[in-house]
Amino acid sequence: MNVRDVRPAARSGWTEVDQRCINTIRFLSVDMVQKANSGHPGMPLGAAPMAYVLWTHWLKHNPRNPLWADRDRFVLSAGHGSALLYSLLHLTGYDVSLDEIRRFRQWGSKAAGHPERGHTPGVEVTTGPLGQGVANAVGMAIAEAQLAARYNRPGHAVIDHHTFAIVSDGDLMEGVASEAASLAGHLALGKLTLLYDNNHVTLAGASDITFSEDCARRFEAYGWHTVAVADGNDLAAIEAALQAARAQATRPSLLLVRTHIGYGSPAQDSFKAHGSPLGKDGVRLTKQKLGWPVEPDFLIPDDALAHLRTAVERGAQDEAAWKLTLSAYAEQFPQLARELEMRLRGELPQGWDADIPVFEPDAKGLATREASSKVMNAIAPRLPALSGGSADLDPSTKSALRGLGEFNPPASGKPGDTERGSDWSYSGRNLHFGVREHAMGAIVNGLAAHGGFIPYGATFLIFSDYMRPPIRLAALMGLHVVHVFTHDSLALGEDGPTHQPVEQLANLRAIPNLIVIRPADANETAVAWRVAIETKNRPVVLVLTRQDVPTLDRNRHAAADGLRRGAYILRDARDARPDLILLASGSEVGLITAAAENLQQQGINVRCVSMPSWELFEALPQAERDAVLPPSIDARLAVELGARQGWDRYVGAGGDVLCMQGFGASAPAETLLREYGFTVEHICARARAVLARG
C-alpha cells in the first residue's frame, strides 16, 4: 500500500477544537509580531484556516524527522508571513520552542524574519524575495517526478509525495512565478499544488491598483487545474479543493482561496495589516472580536496543542510505513535501492570520475564549453544525480546529456523529437527550461533543496543577470547547484555588446559563498567539473568560452589540478625569481603564456599565474597565497576580458590590470581582441610599463 493511500479521503465535519487550533495559530503569530514590534501579522490572520487544513489533514510530514526523504514538501513562498510557518512548526511538534517563538526576529532565534533553510527545522527553502518559492516548488515537483520514474516499480512506490506552497498576490505578480508556472503546466506536474492567499491586498495598497487579471483563467491557459474557494474560513470548501487537487494526475493545481488580510483586526482588508504590528490596542480588539482571551499572550490551549501534536504520531506512522515499503523494495531491487539511498544521502558513487578525459596538448585546442560537454557526458552515466539543462541553448552551451532522455510527459513527444533523438519521459535527465533563465535558476534550487540531485542550469554568461536572485539564494541556502555559463567574453564576437559580458564576473564574485571558476583550457575544465561535483553546501559557477583556446602542454606547464587551489604557478621564471608576475583567468591565460615567452626573450623573468577561482584561492592559508603572489614582487599585471573590480587586491599598488573599461562592440572576435588591446604585443607593452614604474 502506498503511504499516501492511508490518509483519509475527506473530513466528515469540523469542531470547536478545529476553530480553537486555527485561532491558536493566528494569535501565536500576532503575539510574536507584536512582541518583536516587527513583522507581518496580516497574512497569518487570513491564511491560518487553509494552512491548518493542509497541515493537519493533507501534508505528509514527520516533525521529529524533518528531513525524511518521502515527506511532502511545503514552501511558504510568501515568506513575509513567516510567523504563520513558525506557529505551525511549533504547534505540530518541530524543534522550534516557544522561547524561540517569543524571540521572533531577534539575534540567534530560529524564528528569523523570513524562513531560512538550514536555520529552522521544517523550513525547506529560504523565501522572502517573492516568486522564488513558486519556482522552488516547481523544482521540487520535478525532482519527485524524476525520482519516482527512475526508481518506482509496480507495487513498490518508494517515491510518492506531493509539493504544496502558499503563495501571495506578490508571488503571482513576479515574472519568475509566471515562467515557472508556464513550465509546470507544460510538464503536467500533477503532484504540485499552490494555495493562493487571495486577499486582494499588497504592501502598498489594494491589489486592484496594479493587479486585476483573472488568475484562474491565466493558470488554466498554462495548463493548470484551478479551484476557487469563496470564503477562506470555510474549512469544508478548503478541504474539498485540496481533495480535488489530489485527484489531478496530469495537471498542477492552483487553489484560489479568498481570504482577508488582517482578518478580525481593525486593519482587516487594509495594506496596513501587511507589514506592521497591530499595536497593543489592535491586538486587544482583534482577540476580542474573534473570541480569544486578551491575556496571557502566546496562549496555547491544551486541547488545541494536543490536537495539533497528533502530527508527531501520524508522521512517525507515515515514515514507518515508508520504511517498510523501502525495505521490501530493497529486497526486490537491491542495486536500485542502494543507488537511491546514496543519492538521498548526497554521496558520490565510487568511480564517478573514472571516465573523465585527459586532453592532449594542442595549440589550436578547443573551446572550454566543448571540453565541458565531453566531461559532463563522461561523468553522467556514472552519476545518476547529475541532471539539468539549459534555457533553450543546448546547442550553444553544449550542456546536453546525450542518450539520457528528455524530462517531459511521455505523451508530449516521440522519440526523435529532439536533436539527440532521446525518449521523452519523467525519467529523462535533460530538463528543457525554455527561454526562462530566471525560473531555471530557482527551479534548480528546488531540485537541490529536494535532495537526491546535483542539478545544473546552463545559459550565456550575460544572462546570469536574469538569474542573480536565485544564484544569491542558492549561496545563502548553501545549495549544491552548478551553473554552466558560456560565451564568457567579447570574444563571442558579432552578436555585439548586448551579448558580451563585461561586469558579470565581478557581479558573481561579489556573492558570498559562491564559487566562480573560469578555467583556462580543456584540462582545467575537467578539474573544474571535479571541483563542482565534489563541492558541498555551496553553488558553483563554471564560466566557459565559445572560442577555441589552446590546450596547454602540461609537460611544460604545471598540472591542471592546480585549479583546486584557485590560483597556481602555471609557468615560473628562471630560478623561481620573477621580475614580473602575469595573472589571468580563462582564455587570457593562453595570452599571458605567449607574452611570457616574448618577454623572456627580452631578458625579463616572468611568472605566469593561472587564476581560475578567487574564492578557492582566498580559502588557502596566507602563506600558500604568498607563495604564489610574493609580497616582495610589486610588478604585476592581470589580464581579463572583464571589469577591473576586485583585481587590485591581487596586483597591488605597483601593478596594473588590462581589462574592459566599457562595453564591447559588434565585430569578429579577432578584431575585437585587437582593438581592445588583448594581444600578446599589447600585454608585453603594458608589462614593460609596469616594470618601468618600479
Side-chain angles (χ1 to χ4, degrees):
M1 180 181 293
N2 294 342
V3 174
R4 65 174 177 153
D5 292 336
V6 305
R7 309 190 71 73
R11 186 75 176 260
S12 59
W14 301 92
T15 68
E16 290 183 3
V17 173
D18 294 308
Q19 189 59 52
R20 200 149 40 247
C21 289
I22 291 168
N23 281 336
T24 302
I25 295 167
R26 281 172 166 154
F27 289 111
L28 199 57
S29 303
V30 166
D31 285 341
M32 73 174 86
V33 171
Q34 186 60 37
K35 187 173 189 299
N37 196 30
S38 175
H40 301 72
M43 181 196 164
L45 282 168
M50 65 176 170
Y52 171 76
V53 175
L54 174 64
W55 274 64
T56 59
H57 194 55
W58 292 96
L59 194 70
K60 184 177 68 174
H61 64 118
N62 185 357
R64 298 301 158 84
N65 184 10
L67 299 180
W68 165 38
D70 200 44
R71 68 192 181 279
D72 288 343
R73 269 56 172 184
F74 172 78
V75 175
L76 183 67
S77 188
H80 55 270
S82 60
L84 172 66
L85 180 54
Y86 301 142
S87 296
L88 290 165
L89 291 172
H90 171 69
L91 292 168
T92 57
Y94 285 79
D95 184 19
V96 179
S97 69
L98 191 57
D99 285 341
E100 300 286 354
I101 295 288
R102 290 178 182 274
R103 295 190 304 110
F104 176 58
R105 291 191 162 215
Q106 305 308 301
W107 178 266
S109 173
K110 291 180 182 179
H114 288 81
E116 296 181 21
R117 175 183 171 86
H119 183 71
T120 310
V123 172
E124 300 283 2
V125 287
T126 298
T127 56
L130 292 174
Q132 293 290 321
V134 175
N136 295 160
V138 172
M140 292 174 178
I142 290 172
E144 193 276 344
Q146 194 193 87
L147 289 172
R150 182 175 179 88
Y151 295 106
N152 287 355
R153 295 295 183 269
H156 298 275
V158 288
I159 300 295
D160 185 12
H161 54 267
H162 291 250
T163 302
F164 299 93
I166 290 181
V167 308
S168 65
D169 293 300
D171 285 298
L172 299 190
M173 289 188 212
E174 289 285 1
V176 62
S178 299
E179 292 180 18
S182 172
L183 183 60
H186 165 76
L187 293 175
L189 299 174
K191 289 185 175 180
L192 172 64
T193 300
L194 304 185
L195 293 89
Y196 171 24
D197 181 29
N198 186 16
N199 60 34
H200 296 190
V201 175
T202 62
L203 185 149
S207 60
D208 60 7
I209 297 174
T210 57
F211 194 57
S212 54
E213 66 193 43
D214 187 328
C215 288
R217 292 178 65 186
R218 168 184 156 196
F219 273 73
E220 287 164 5
Y222 289 148
W224 287 56
H225 160 75
T226 68
V227 179
V229 176
D231 180 0
N233 291 306
D234 186 340
L235 305 185
I238 295 167
E239 173 81 2
L242 284 164
Q243 188 173 14
R246 177 61 65 91
Q248 295 297 314
T250 59
R251 288 190 295 171
S253 295
L254 176 72
L255 312 185
L256 302 96
V257 184
R258 177 66 172 101
T259 60
H260 295 272
I261 193 169
Y263 178 76
S265 76
Q268 178 175 319
D269 296 326
S270 168
F271 71 94
K272 294 179 182 179
H274 177 87
S276 300
L278 297 177
K280 290 183 179 180
D281 288 343
V283 170
R284 175 178 54 79
L285 291 171
T286 307
K287 289 181 176 179
Q288 288 174 342
K289 183 166 184 177
L290 296 183
W292 196 253
V294 174
E295 297 291 345
D297 56 5
F298 298 98
L299 172 64
I300 303 176
D302 291 342
D303 59 348
L305 182 62
H307 184 67
L308 286 159
R309 286 284 167 89
T310 59
V312 173
E313 181 180 357
R314 188 167 59 248
Q317 291 174 351
D318 283 344
E319 183 175 359
W322 175 75
K323 285 180 177 178
L324 290 175
T325 299
L326 184 63
S327 178
Y329 175 80
E331 289 183 9
Q332 292 291 316
F333 311 99
Q335 185 173 345
L336 282 175
R338 283 193 298 271
E339 180 183 292
L340 173 61
E341 290 173 346
M342 183 173 288
R343 286 183 64 172
L344 295 175
R345 290 193 300 266
E347 298 175 0
L348 298 176
Q350 187 173 4
W352 69 271
D353 57 349
D355 297 326
I356 292 179
V358 175
F359 298 88
E360 295 300 318
D362 184 350
K364 178 182 181 296
L366 74 165
T368 53
R369 63 170 176 162
E370 294 279 3
S372 173
S373 177
K374 293 178 185 295
V375 175
M376 292 175 71
N377 280 281
I379 291 172
R382 292 177 175 268
L383 187 60
L386 184 65
S387 185
S390 78
D392 197 47
L393 288 169
D394 282 353
S396 295
T397 58
K398 309 295 182 183
S399 53
L401 303 179
R402 292 186 293 275
L404 295 181
E406 321 302 313
F407 184 89
N408 253 305
S412 66
K414 301 175 183 177
D417 277 359
T418 69
E419 168 182 315
R420 293 176 298 284
S422 298
D423 289 339
W424 298 58
S425 75
Y426 283 138
S427 64
R429 288 167 59 187
N430 288 287
L431 305 179
H432 296 274
F433 295 101
V435 189
R436 302 183 180 97
E437 290 90 353
H438 199 171
M440 177 174 70
I443 287 170
V444 295
N445 285 353
L447 282 160
H450 178 280
F453 289 84
I454 302 174
Y456 68 89
T459 185
F460 295 169
L461 177 58
I462 191 70
F463 300 135
S464 66
D465 285 350
Y466 284 121
M467 301 172 62
R468 186 174 174 84
I471 293 172
R472 181 180 188 274
L473 284 167
L476 181 61
M477 287 187 269
L479 295 177
H480 188 188
V481 169
V482 181
H483 290 292
V484 179
F485 293 142
T486 67
H487 296 59
D488 71 341
S489 72
L490 64 87
L492 70 90
E494 292 87 345
D495 279 340
T498 61
H499 282 53
Q500 293 162 359
V502 173
E503 74 279 16
Q504 280 67 32
L505 276 169
N507 286 344
L508 291 168
R509 287 167 176 159
I511 300 175
N513 203 43
L514 175 68
I515 295 177
V516 181
I517 307 177
R518 189 170 182 243
D521 72 347
N523 286 307
E524 277 199 9
T525 303
V527 180
W529 264 108
R530 290 180 187 271
V531 171
I533 297 299
E534 293 167 356
T535 294
K536 301 292 184 183
N537 303 321
R538 60 197 300 192
V540 178
V541 165
L542 304 181
V543 181
L544 308 172
T545 68
R546 178 195 189 193
Q547 77 276 19
D548 290 342
V549 294
T551 303
L552 300 173
D553 184 348
R554 296 293 167 170
N555 292 316
R556 299 179 58 214
H557 300 87
D561 202 57
L563 176 140
R564 293 180 177 277
R565 302 169 62 79
Y568 65 104
I569 301 170
L570 182 68
R571 168 179 173 167
D572 211 355
R574 284 190 298 267
D575 302 321
R577 295 171 64 97
D579 302 315
L580 170 76
I581 300 176
L582 295 179
L583 306 89
S585 74
S587 56
E588 294 80 81
V589 171
L591 284 175
I592 66 167
T593 58
E597 292 184 6
N598 188 309
L599 291 166
Q600 202 75 41
Q601 293 172 5
Q602 301 172 38
I604 301 171
N605 284 337
V606 180
R607 170 178 290 181
C608 289
V609 172
S610 176
M611 197 164 189
S613 176
W614 295 7
E615 297 78 23
L616 295 177
F617 185 62
E618 292 294 337
L620 296 177
Q622 185 66 52
E624 295 184 31
R625 284 180 275 155
D626 288 346
V628 177
L629 301 175
S632 60
I633 301 174
D634 292 331
R636 305 178 186 182
L637 174 65
V639 181
E640 188 170 74
L641 280 162
R644 182 181 183 117
Q645 280 93 330
W647 274 110
D648 289 290
R649 82 179 82 168
Y650 300 119
V651 300
D656 192 11
V657 183
L658 173 58
C659 59
M660 291 295 294
Q661 297 182 354
F663 295 112
S666 179
E670 298 79 6
T671 301
L672 292 167
L673 293 174
R674 183 183 67 248
E675 292 296 325
Y676 286 98
F678 290 91
T679 64
V680 171
E681 295 76 14
H682 190 225
I683 291 170
C684 290
R686 290 284 283 266
R688 288 192 296 269
V690 169
L691 285 166
R693 289 206 304 265

